[in-house]
C-alpha cells in the first residue's frame, strides 16, 4: 500500500563551505571546496587534508559535534517558538556503532549535550539512529511512523566528524584516504544537518519524500566478493515502488559518493539494473566533493541540497532519486519530488 509522503518543511546545514543551508548549498552548486591541513601526518610524511568546519573557537570531539548540531537545529526550527520544541521528537543520526574512532557513549552523551547547548528539551518520542550514512533514510522512516501516530512535526538531525586521529589513522592504514599517493580515496570531513518534516499536504513549493527503500549488499567494501550492486538495486526498487514510480521517471540523482571507486562502480551497476527505459541524460550529484566525507551527516546534506536546488530552480526536474551506502553493506534510497508553484 502506498504510504503518505513526508514534507521537508525546513532545513539546516553546517559544512566546511557554509555554516547554514543557503550558503552551504550555494557553495556546493558552485563546486567550491576548501580543504585544509589537519594536525595529523600520514604514513608518507604529508599532512592529512580534510574539510574542516571553522567555528568561533577550536572545539573538538563531543563539544564540536553538539555545537554544530545546535546550529543546524536552530536554523531548521527558526520559525518554531522555543516553547513548542518540547512537543517535537528529535531523531538524531550518528555514526554507526562499529565506526573506527567513534566516541564512547556517543548516543546518550550527544543527545544530552545538544539539549544543553540549545537550552531546550525535545519530545519523549525522540530517538537515536546509529546507522551512519544511511541514517537519514532510517530516520525518515521513523518520522513517518511518528507522524502517523499523531505527531505534527518531527525533527531529524545529524552531527558527525571523521577528523579524530583514531578514525583518520584507521582509514589511512586501509588506504582509503585521498592523498598524494592514493587517488582512490575520500577526503574526510565533518558537519551537521537538520530537517524539520511534517505530513505532505500537497502544497505548492514543497519537497516531499514519496518513497523509502532499504537493502543489504553482501559484496560490501571489505568482503572480497564480486560487486553486482544487488543491495543498492533492491533499495532503489523498494523506494520507487513505495513512491509508485519507476527509475525512468526520475530526473536526476543525488548521492553520498565521496571519491572511492567502489561506490561509483556500485552506483553505475545499480543504474544498469534498475533503469528500463533509455534516458538522454541522468545527472548524478555528489555534494561530498565539496564537503568531504561527512559520515552520518551525508544523507541530510543530500536532502538539504535537493530542497535548495528545487526551491532555487536549478534542478533537471522535480523527481529526484537519492541513495546512500554504509561500508558494512547497509543500503538506502529515497524518492523525492518537488511540487512546484503553479
Amino acid at each position: 500500500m502506498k504510504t503518505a509522503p513526508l514534507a521537508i518543511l525546513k532545513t539546516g546545514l553546517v559544512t566546511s563551505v557554509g555554516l547554514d543551508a543557503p550558503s552551504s548549498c550555494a557553495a556546493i552548486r558552485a563546486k567550491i571546496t576548501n580543504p585544509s591541513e589537519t594536525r595529523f601526518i600520514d604514513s608518507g610524511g604529508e599532512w592529512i587534508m580534510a574539510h574542516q568546519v571553522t567555528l568561533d573557537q577550536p572545539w573538538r570531539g563531543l563539544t564540536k559535534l553538539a555545537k554544530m548540531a545546535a546550529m543546524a537545529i536552530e536554523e531548521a526550527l527558526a520559525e518554531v517558538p522555543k516553547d513548542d520544541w518540547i512537543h517535537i521528537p528529535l531523531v538524531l543520526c550518528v555514526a554507526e556503532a562499529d565506526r573506527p574512532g567513534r566516541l564512547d557513549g556517543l548516543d546518550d552523551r550527544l543527545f544530552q549535550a545538544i539539549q544543553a547547548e540549545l537550552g531546550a528539551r525535545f519530545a519523549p518520542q525522540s530517538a537515536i539512529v546509529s546507522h551512519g550514512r544511511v541514517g537519514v533514510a532510517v530516520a525518515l522512516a521513523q518520522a513517518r511512523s511518528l507522524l502517523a501516530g499523531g505527531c505534527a512535526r518531527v525533527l531529524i538531525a545529524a552531527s558527525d566528524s571523521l577528523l579524530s586521529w583514531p578514525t583518520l589513522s584507521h582509514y589511512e592504514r586501509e588506504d582509503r584516504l585521498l592523498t598524494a599517493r592514493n587517488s582512490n580515496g575520500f577526503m574526510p570531513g565533518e558537519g551537521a544537518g537538520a530537517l524539520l518534516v511534517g505530513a505532505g499536504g500537497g502544497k505548492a513549493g514543497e519537497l516531499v519524500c514519496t518513497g523509502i527503500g532499504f537493502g543489504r549488499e553482501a559484496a560490501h567494501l571489505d568482503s572480497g566478493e564480486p560487486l553486482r550492486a544487488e543491495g543498492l538495486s533492491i533499495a532503489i526498487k523498494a523506494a520507487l515502488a513505495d513512491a509508485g514510480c519507476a527509475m525512468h521517471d526520475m530526473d536526476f540523482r543525488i548521492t553520498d559518493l565521496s571519491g572511492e571507486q567502489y561506490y561509483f562502480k556500485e552506483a553505475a551497476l545499480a543504474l544498469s539494473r534498475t533503469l528500463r527505459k533509455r534516458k538522454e541524460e541522468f545527472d548524478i550529484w555528489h555534494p561530498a566533493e565539496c564537503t568531504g566525507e561527512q559520515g552520518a551527516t551525508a544523507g541530510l546534506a543530500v536532502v538539504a541540497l535537493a530542497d535548495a536546488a528545487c526551491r532555487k530552480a536549478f534542478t533537471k526536474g522535480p523527481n529526484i532519486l537519492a541513495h546512500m551506502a554504509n561500508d558494512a553493506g547497509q543500503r538506502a534510497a529515497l524518492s523525492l519530488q518537488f511540487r512546484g508553484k503553479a
Side-chain angles (χ1 to χ4, degrees):
M1 185 180 71
K2 192 174 184 295
T3 51
L6 283 165
I8 310 301
L9 304 176
K10 195 81 167 59
T11 66
L13 200 55
V14 175
T15 70
S16 61
V17 292
L19 298 182
D20 56 30
S23 58
S24 291
C25 293
I28 292 168
R29 181 187 183 188
K31 297 191 181 298
I32 292 172
T33 181
N34 64 342
S36 56
E37 293 178 350
T38 65
R39 300 172 295 134
F40 307 114
I41 295 175
D42 65 23
S43 57
E46 303 286 338
W47 293 106
I48 294 177
M49 303 294 289
H51 293 267
Q52 304 179 70
V53 173
T54 303
L55 300 179
D56 293 339
Q57 296 182 35
W59 290 295
R60 296 192 183 97
L62 187 76
T63 301
K64 188 168 190 179
L65 293 179
K67 297 274 185 187
M68 292 190 298
M71 291 169 65
I73 289 170
E74 285 179 324
E75 182 182 1
L77 295 181
E79 298 170 10
V80 180
K82 206 161 190 177
D83 290 345
D84 293 347
W85 294 11
I86 187 66
H87 305 299
I88 301 175
L90 169 58
V91 182
L92 180 62
C93 303
V94 297
E96 54 271 53
D98 58 355
R99 226 268 302 282
R102 190 182 195 267
L103 293 172
D104 291 337
L106 176 65
D107 296 6
D108 296 332
R109 291 171 62 204
L110 182 57
F111 191 91
Q112 298 303 326
I114 290 169
Q115 289 194 134
E117 182 68 27
L118 291 167
R121 297 187 68 80
F122 292 96
Q125 302 98 315
S126 296
I128 308 294
V129 171
S130 305
H131 290 284
R133 293 193 296 268
V134 305
V136 69
V138 177
L140 284 166
Q142 290 193 12
R144 191 155 63 179
S145 297
L146 288 167
L147 293 170
C151 292
R153 291 168 294 191
V154 177
L155 179 67
I156 298 170
S159 190
D160 203 354
S161 175
L162 277 71
L163 305 189
S164 70
W165 178 240
T167 302
L168 290 174
S169 60
H170 169 84
Y171 290 123
E172 206 268 333
R173 286 194 303 272
E174 298 291 318
D175 286 327
R176 293 188 56 192
L177 295 185
L178 180 65
T179 67
R181 298 176 298 109
N182 180 33
S183 61
N184 180 20
F186 62 83
M187 193 168 288
E190 60 185 353
L195 308 171
L196 181 64
V197 302
K203 297 177 184 175
E206 190 174 72
L207 180 70
V208 294
C209 176
T210 55
I212 306 171
F214 299 98
R216 180 168 286 276
E217 179 56 61
H220 57 81
L221 190 65
D222 301 319
S223 68
E225 299 293 323
L227 176 64
R228 292 188 290 268
E230 291 176 351
L232 183 56
S233 298
I234 289 169
I236 290 170
K237 289 174 182 176
L240 294 173
D242 193 17
C245 58
M247 190 64 150
H248 61 263
D249 296 320
M250 299 292 104
D251 294 303
F252 68 104
R253 297 164 288 161
I254 308 182
T255 77
D256 65 343
L257 301 176
S258 59
E260 293 181 285
Q261 293 169 12
Y262 170 94
Y263 289 110
F264 279 96
K265 180 182 178 182
E266 181 182 43
L269 286 170
L271 178 63
S272 70
R273 296 176 70 105
T274 55
L275 185 62
R276 292 290 172 257
K277 290 185 181 179
R278 186 175 180 274
K279 295 177 70 71
E280 287 298 321
E281 58 178 354
F282 202 7
D283 273 5
I284 183 166
W285 298 4
H286 32 90
E289 66 181 331
C290 301
T291 64
E293 171 56 70
Q294 292 183 293
T297 304
L300 276 82
V302 162
V303 177
L305 177 60
D307 182 73
C310 291
R311 294 183 190 279
K312 294 289 186 180
F314 61 89
T315 69
K316 296 286 185 179
N319 300 303
I320 307 161
L321 178 77
H323 60 73
M324 309 92 191
N326 275 359
D327 291 346
Q330 300 92 341
R331 301 293 184 260
L334 305 173
S335 171
L336 304 170
Q337 182 181 65
F338 185 68
R339 295 174 175 172
K341 297 175 182 178

